[in-house]
Amino acid sequence: EADIYQTPRYLVIGTGKKITLECSQTMGHDKMYWYQQDPGMELHLIHYSYGVNSTEKGDLSSESTVSRIRTEHFPLTLESARPSHTSQYLCASSDPSRGETQYFGPGTRLLVL
Amino acid sequence: AQSVTQPDIHITVSEGASLELRCNYSYGATPYLFWYVQSPGQGLQLLLKYFSGDTLVQGIKGFEAEFKRSQSSFNLRKPSVHWSDAAEYFCAVAPFGNEKLTFGTGTRLTIIP
C-alpha cells in the first residue's frame, strides 16, 4: 500500500482566508486525486493529476485549485475560504502495478466559520 | 455514465452474526470493483478489489465479496462480525482500464453486543 500523508488533519478557519491542504506520497505514484466528502455522503472527485505539471478538474465542480510540481506532492488551495467549503478532503494516489488501485490518505476536515 | 447503488444506508448487526452489504452498479461492461472501509474521522482503507477471474474475492479483515455479472452486483460478506468492524463501507467502480472511481453513497454498519 502507498503511504499518503495529509496535513493538517483538522482546520478551523475564518471566511476569506487562503488555505492550502497538503498531500504527499512516498511511493512515486504518478497519478494522484483529490476527493471531497460531505458528512455521511459519498466521495466526489474534484481534481486529479497524471503526473508532474498535469492537473485536471474532476466530476464535481470546485473553487479550489491544485498544482503538481513534484511527483510526491499534490497540494490543494482555496484562495478565499467560505462556509460552503466546509467538508472533508481526501487525497489518494494510484498504484500502476495493481491496476491503478487507489490508496487514500487520512483526510483533512475543514470547517470554515 | 456509470453509477453505484448501495441500497442500505444503515445496517445494525449483533457481534458474531454474519453480514452482507449490497452493491449494484450500472455500466455497459464489467468494470473494476472495489470495497473500501472508513472508520470515523479516517481516510478510506481498501478491503478488496475485483478485476477479473475468480468471482469470489478475498480481502483483509476476513471480508469477501462475490461478483455476479447477471445481477450487476458485488456484495460484501463476512461470516462473523467483530465490534471493530463498525464503520462506513463504500463500494466503488472504475471502467476497465480507467482509474477514475465512482463511489456509492455508503452503508453505515453498527455492531451491537
Side-chain angles (χ1 to χ4, degrees), chain B residues 50-64:
Chain B
Y50 173 79
F51 288 168
S52 64
D54 191 347
T55 57
L56 183 65
V57 294
Q58 303 296 322
I60 62 171
K61 303 184 179 185
F63 285 93
E64 66 178 26

Side-chain angles (χ1 to χ4, degrees), chain A residues 39-53:
Chain A
M41 303 295 287
E42 69 266 46
L43 284 74
H44 291 286
L45 180 68
I46 53 174
H47 298 283
Y48 60 99
S49 168
Y50 286 156
V52 171
N53 295 324

Side-chain angles (χ1 to χ4, degrees), chain B residues 6-28:
Chain B
Q6 292 182 248
D8 304 306
I9 296 173
H10 185 200
I11 285 182
T12 300
V13 300
S14 299
E15 189 169 15
S18 63
L19 171 71
E20 182 169 28
L21 302 183
R22 296 182 291 165
C23 173
N24 293 94
Y25 66 91
S26 172
Y27 188 63

Side-chain angles (χ1 to χ4, degrees), chain A residues 9 33 37 42 50 101-102, chain B residues 36 38 41 43 49 90 99 104:
Chain A
R9 292 293 311 278
Y33 314 83
Q37 183 186 29
E42 69 266 46
Y50 286 156
T101 296
Q102 291 187 27
Chain B
Y36 287 89
Q38 185 179 36
K49 60 183 183 284
F90 290 94
E99 71 292 341

Side-chain angles (χ1 to χ4, degrees), chain B residues 67-87:
Chain B
F67 168 60
K68 292 185 177 180
R69 186 191 309 273
S70 61
Q71 299 176 19
S72 296
S73 69
F74 189 55
N75 294 349
L76 181 72
R77 301 195 294 250
K78 187 170 184 177
S80 176
V81 298
H82 185 262
W83 64 266
S84 60
D85 293 326

Side-chain angles (χ1 to χ4, degrees), chain A residues 9 31 33 35 37 40-43 45 48 50 59 88 90 98-106 109, chain B residues 32 34 36 38 40-46 49 51 60 88 90 98-106:
Chain A
R9 292 293 311 278
K31 296 179 180 178
Y33 314 83
Y35 292 87
Q37 183 186 29
M41 303 295 287
E42 69 266 46
L43 284 74
L45 180 68
Y48 60 99
Y50 286 156
D59 303 322
Q88 178 164 237
L90 291 159
R98 296 181 178 174
E100 298 294 353
T101 296
Q102 291 187 27
Y103 297 96
F104 286 79
R109 285 187 177 272
Chain B
Y32 292 168
F34 305 84
Y36 287 89
Q38 185 179 36
Q42 302 297 314
L44 273 69
Q45 182 181 22
L46 179 69
K49 60 183 183 284
F51 288 168
I60 62 171
E88 188 91 19
F90 290 94
N98 185 329
E99 71 292 341
K100 292 179 68 177
L101 289 173
T102 298
F103 283 86
T105 52

Side-chain angles (χ1 to χ4, degrees), chain A residues 44-96:
Chain A
H44 291 286
L45 180 68
I46 53 174
H47 298 283
Y48 60 99
S49 168
Y50 286 156
V52 171
N53 295 324
S54 156
T55 61
E56 301 287 343
K57 290 190 177 294
D59 303 322
L60 181 69
S61 176
S62 173
E63 294 170 346
S64 59
T65 59
V66 293
S67 63
R68 189 86 182 277
I69 299 173
R70 303 198 314 268
T71 297
E72 64 272 21
H73 195 213
F74 191 38
L76 180 145
T77 298
L78 279 165
E79 290 292 335
S80 179
R82 296 206 301 265
S84 61
H85 296 139
T86 294
S87 190
Q88 178 164 237
Y89 294 85
L90 291 159
C91 181
S93 70
S94 61
D95 187 344

